[in-house]
Amino acid sequence: MTTTERPDVHQRTRWQDWLGGFFSSSVGLKWLMAITGIGLLLYVLAHMIGNLKVFLGMNEFGEYEIDLYGEALRNLGGHLGPEESIL
């Protein structure tokens, strides 16, 4: 089994040059974890609200609200990619 020597964490500088060393500190890592946690929480809440549309039933045009939500998710990318490329 071959092992490679990895440089010490404080000697790795490629990503530290870009961020200025902020995320190498314990405070920076806590900020990163907080920001990603908030992002994931917002993602879950947005989909939970969208899935609650199943209880709304039909609108005045005779379309189910959950179907409109599904259609919106299918067309999420707009014209950035092929239709239905996201979902």
Side-chain angles (χ1 to χ4, degrees):
M1 177 161 101
T2 46
T3 59
T4 57
E5 284 291 322
R6 293 182 64 183
D8 188 38
V9 173
H10 300 292
Q11 293 175 353
R12 299 182 211 159
T13 59
R14 281 190 296 173
W15 61 276
Q16 288 180 355
D17 292 338
W18 183 63
L19 293 174
F22 177 70
F23 291 116
S24 64
S25 68
S26 62
V27 174
L29 291 174
K30 289 175 186 178
W31 269 96
L32 179 66
M33 183 175 280
I35 290 169
T36 55
I38 290 169
L40 289 172
L41 180 68
L42 291 175
Y43 173 81
V44 168
L45 286 176
H47 285 284
M48 183 186 72
I49 291 169
N51 288 331
L52 285 174
K53 292 184 180 198
V54 73
F55 298 113
L56 292 178
M58 289 188 167
N59 61 10
E60 61 271 4
F61 302 113
E63 301 169 319
Y64 285 104
E65 292 290 334
I66 192 69
D67 291 339
L68 296 175
Y69 172 65
E71 185 68 28
L73 284 179
R74 274 192 289 280
N75 298 328
L76 186 63
H79 298 293
L80 297 176
E83 189 173 326
E84 300 180 1
S85 62
I86 302 293
L87 181 65

